[in-house]
Amino acid sequence: MAQNKNDTLLILGAGGQIGTELRVALSHQFGADRVISTDIHPLPESAGRSVVLNALDGAAISELVRKEKVTQIYHLVATLSATAEKAPLPSWDLNMKTFFNVVEAAKQHRVQKIFWPSSIAVFGPTTPRDHTPQQTILEPTTVYGISKVAGELWSQYAAKAWNLDIRSLRYPGLISHTAPPGGGTTDYAVDIFHQAKKTGTYTSFLSADTRLPMMFMEDAIRATLLLMNAPAEDIKHRTSYNISSIDFTPAELATAIQKHLPHFSISYAPDFRQAIADSWPNSIDDSAARADWGWEPRFSLKSMVQEMIDHV
Ligand code: SER
């Protein structure tokens, strides 16, 4: 693995759904003393070295990067799709300002690598829906999606113009039992497990047959480490990589849960998030990630459901 004992890693948004698991994985790889976790809210002691930081404060990021001689930044701060639709301009502001704060700090202090997540939200109703290709039409209809397309293009620009090594993944809906998701359209696929075990019923905010690409968090973290450990010359796409593992509908997920909890029942009350889901793909073609840096998912619908039932 490409790693240097002088690496110091900075995570922004380390208290979120991805950050909570990524900080553990990075501490494991680099050593807990090499990882600085930051979040706008104080992190638990178990997070190791941590700092309260508002990612809108560019000077504070820059100062931390300088002081700690940071070599890698993992920038996970964002307002997700559903929340962003309720406050479009502040969400755009947060998603883009924090992105540029990180780019600026990286430029100033010669940070070696940056990770910034993109999303299936970059796609829109004019994108091919099945096995969506790596390079395709990007006309998202959500503020979150627009901010991710903008960030992808800026990443590509920054790589070329400023020689910044920014790497990115278009995460599908992420499913985990450690930390809750933060206001996305795919959150139902996590909530459903909590409600299934607590009450035995769930009302889905997406209709029965809404198919979306999804991934168990363990696969998403492994993809992130694989991408970040790959030699720079293997990174052929400087926008963001498609990655894929499973796709299912709420009805199919309910059936898979019923194999463990036979009395579980689901009902449907689609809300504004249905339109967002309807604009996103059914499934993703990740052949570029497989070819360029050896990506391969491990979890199936069945093994993901087993993990969730066991740990929620
Ligand atoms: N899970 C995210 C969302 O629904 C997609 O990136 O917003």
Side-chain angles (χ1 to χ4, degrees):
M1 289 210 170
Q3 106 186 47
N4 174 337
K5 59 177 188 319
N6 297 319
D7 271 318
T8 300
L9 283 63
L10 177 65
I11 309 176
L12 306 179
Q17 191 199 14
I18 299 171
T20 298
E21 299 199 31
L22 187 59
R23 70 183 192 230
V24 175
L26 291 173
S27 299
H28 195 73
Q29 187 188 331
F30 289 87
D33 58 326
R34 310 309 313 171
V35 179
I36 305 167
S37 294
T38 75
D39 200 274
I40 196 160
H41 304 295
L43 292 166
E45 217 156 282
S46 58
R49 290 178 74 182
S50 76
V51 177
V52 173
L53 179 85
N54 182 346
L56 285 169
D57 186 346
I61 298 175
S62 240
E63 177 52 19
L64 195 55
V65 168
R66 187 196 61 79
K67 197 174 80 193
E68 299 289 349
K69 299 189 171 57
V70 168
T71 58
Q72 298 191 17
I73 304 179
Y74 294 75
H75 171 30
L76 309 176
V77 174
T79 303
L80 296 191
S81 61
T83 309
E85 290 311 295
K86 295 184 183 151
L89 293 182
S91 303
W92 168 261
D93 219 39
L94 178 103
N95 290 0
M96 297 318 297
K97 268 196 184 139
T98 61
F99 175 86
F100 287 115
N101 285 345
V102 167
V103 166
E104 200 44 42
K107 266 173 76 186
Q108 264 176 26
H109 303 292
R110 301 181 176 282
V111 172
Q112 288 161 17
K113 284 187 213 172
I114 302 153
F115 177 77
W116 174 79
S118 187
S119 159
I120 55 164
V122 294
F123 304 120
T126 53
T127 306
R129 295 187 77 85
D130 295 301
H131 307 291
T132 301
Q134 172 67 38
Q135 286 174 299
T136 185
I137 300 166
L138 303 180
E139 292 183 336
T141 50
T142 63
V143 172
Y144 175 66
I146 300 170
S147 74
K148 290 297 182 189
V149 172
E152 285 195 8
L153 295 174
W154 272 103
S155 297
Q156 182 171 252
Y157 180 88
K160 200 161 173 218
W162 304 319
N163 206 21
L164 284 186
D165 189 352
I166 308 189
R167 305 181 183 195
S168 179
L169 299 172
R170 290 172 180 153
Y171 288 128
L174 297 180
I175 300 166
S176 64
H177 46 72
T178 310
T185 302
T186 55
D187 293 11
Y188 91 85
V190 175
D191 293 345
I192 193 172
F193 287 98
H194 291 273
Q195 293 307 319
K197 288 191 81 168
K198 209 155 78 187
T199 68
T201 64
Y202 182 67
T203 304
S204 169
F205 58 75
L206 298 181
S207 67
D209 56 356
T210 307
R211 181 172 302 282
L212 285 171
M214 300 274 184
M215 185 176 283
F216 188 53
M217 187 62 85
E218 204 174 303
D219 267 340
I221 298 295
R222 214 165 39 76
T224 311
L225 300 186
L226 262 178
L227 175 79
M228 292 305 281
N229 287 322
E233 60 273 19
D234 290 353
I235 310 300
K236 309 269 198 277
H237 294 276
R238 288 291 176 175
T239 49
S240 185
Y241 274 95
N242 281 4
I243 51 167
S244 160
S245 116
I246 44 182
D247 56 79
F248 52 77
T249 66
E252 288 167 0
L253 181 56
T255 303
I257 292 173
Q258 280 158 350
K259 297 208 170 103
H260 300 265
L261 305 169
H263 300 296
F264 172 64
S265 70
I266 186 165
S267 58
Y268 301 93
D271 66 14
F272 72 101
R273 288 168 281 193
Q274 184 67 45
I276 301 177
D278 287 342
S279 77
W280 289 352
N282 295 326
S283 62
I284 300 289
D285 177 348
D286 61 1
S287 47
R290 289 171 185 258
D292 292 356
W293 41 272
W295 160 244
E296 207 178 329
R298 288 192 186 148
F299 283 85
S300 62
L301 175 60
K302 197 172 158 205
S303 55
M304 177 278 284
V305 169
Q306 179 79 57
E307 286 288 315
M308 291 297 285
I309 296 282
D310 288 350
H311 293 102
V312 157

